[in-house]
Amino acid sequence: MPDASRRSERSRSAILRAAVALLEEKEYADLTVEAIASRAGVGKQTIYRWWGGRGPVVLDALIDHLGPDGPPSLPDTGDLEGDLRLVLRAIVAELADRRLSATTRALTIETLSSDEFAERMRDRLLRPQLDTIKERLRAARAAGQVRDDVDLDHAVELLIGPAYHRWMMRTGPLTEGYADDMVDLALTALRPAAVRSGAAGGAADSP
Amino acid sequence: MPDASRRSERSRSAILRAAVALLEEKEYADLTVEAIASRAGVGKQTIYRWWGGRGPVVLDALIDHLGPDGPPSLPDTGDLEGDLRLVLRAIVAELADRRLSATTRALTIETLSSDEFAERMRDRLLRPQLDTIKERLRAARAAGQVRDDVDLDHAVELLIGPAYHRWMMRTGPLTEGYADDMVDLALTALRPAAVRSGAAGGAADSP
């Protein structure tokens, strides 16, 4: 690798690490290209030249932060409902927090504004995260806890789509109770009929 | 009403009608404040002064276009699944069409960017539309086709949230088959246990 490439690669890494560090410390509104450049020890023109602006550099920083292996698998305790409640509660808690969700808000605006950004965001950041839920559902299906005829991508969207809609449109509070209720509804749709009527009967009989 | 107020009210109406007419004729990208002003026969400074920009005037135009009675009720044929399929197919078809969904995309960006816009959008444009689905589900509940213990706002989100998530994140095709599958999943979650096992049994037995 020639020196110039090595230097570029070092600067690129420094910029991405600076962006992640600032994301953890600051409000998204204060996360300017200037602040990233200053922390990384590069000129802000370098960032504009390589990325064009704040959104794309933040996206690359988050992708870089995920690492080559992507996000860790979800826990599989055998209790599908319990495992999914933890996932959805975590998503809902993040969306409910204005500071934590500011990055998601900014990335969603960029996604709605640019095809190129949307594809990179989907393929490199979102899909790996959705796939962790899909793999947990696949294991549940192998264990007879999810219907064989369900499209697992649809199942993932059934679980998380309502929370994102509520967040985006601000149509109601994002609480733990909401997360649990949406897991309950989704699992009622996803369970095999035999398991479902058993569970529904049990729930109806309980005091 | 003094002459000046009457003139203002006439200009306001002309602007809102011009915006709706242009929305039907043009790409959203071509719907500039200048184009609206020119069609309405006012100066563009009037629009900037009263609304601040394109997003808020388009939102008010759509609210005005709904009229004081809001959107019409959904058809109630007694066949809940059929009625909901029509609704979700229409939503999905609009989201799948880049031209038709450009307005929704622009309004969603504004919603994510401004609290004031978000609240007006939710209360005056979105909620009345979601309520038509909620009322259809309420009638279904009265007819014993939806569980008594379901929160109807959650039920509406279960139906439409996945499609909006798929649209926003571009994670899959928005087709009629997708719409029908999401209605099927949502109704499996929403039906009373007795109806559900009957229906699931019937579906499993059919060729």
Side-chain angles (χ1 to χ4, degrees), chain A residues 98 105 109 111-113 115 122 126-127 154 157 166 168-171 178 181 185 189 200, chain B residues 98 105 109 111-113 115 122 126-127 154 157 166 168-171 178 181 185 188-189 196:
Chain A
R98 266 193 92 73
R105 197 176 316 119
I109 290 172
T111 285
L112 288 164
S113 310
D115 289 346
R122 175 192 64 202
L126 190 66
R127 184 91 71 194
H154 295 189
E157 290 172 343
R166 174 167 281 219
M168 187 166 70
M169 300 305 187
R170 312 192 192 193
T171 38
Y178 175 74
D181 197 38
L185 284 172
Chain B
R98 265 193 91 75
R105 197 177 315 121
I109 290 172
T111 284
L112 289 164
S113 311
D115 289 346
R122 175 192 63 201
L126 190 66
R127 183 91 71 194
H154 296 189
E157 290 172 343
R166 174 167 281 219
M168 188 167 68
M169 300 304 187
R170 311 191 193 194
T171 38
Y178 175 75
D181 197 38
L185 283 171
T188 304
R196 196 159 63 224

Side-chain angles (χ1 to χ4, degrees), chain A residues 31-62:
Chain A
L31 183 87
T32 57
V33 167
E34 197 145 22
I36 299 170
S38 152
R39 167 79 70 118
V42 304
K44 66 180 178 174
Q45 283 316 316
T46 305
I47 296 181
Y48 282 115
R49 200 164 55 238
W50 289 352
W51 282 279
R54 178 169 66 163
V57 70
V58 167
L59 175 59
D60 274 7
L62 292 172

Side-chain angles (χ1 to χ4, degrees), chain B residues 8-24:
Chain B
S8 286
E9 191 44 42
R10 260 204 312 271
S11 296
R12 188 177 173 279
S13 269
I15 291 165
L16 297 180
R17 278 182 282 112
V20 168
L22 288 169
L23 270 177
E24 284 163 1

Side-chain angles (χ1 to χ4, degrees), chain A residues 133-135 137-139 141 146-147 150-157 190:
Chain A
I133 305 178
K134 187 173 170 182
E135 290 315 311
L137 291 171
R138 198 191 302 281
R141 188 159 72 180
V146 164
R147 278 155 56 192
V150 165
D151 180 310
L152 292 181
D153 289 315
H154 295 189
V156 172
E157 290 172 343
L190 300 178

Side-chain angles (χ1 to χ4, degrees), chain B residues 77-99:
Chain B
T77 67
D79 170 12
L80 178 63
E81 180 159 12
D83 290 351
L84 293 179
R85 280 186 172 201
L86 288 184
V87 176
L88 207 62
R89 284 179 183 187
I91 290 174
V92 159
E94 184 170 327
L95 293 176
D97 183 307
R98 265 193 91 75
R99 201 185 91 81

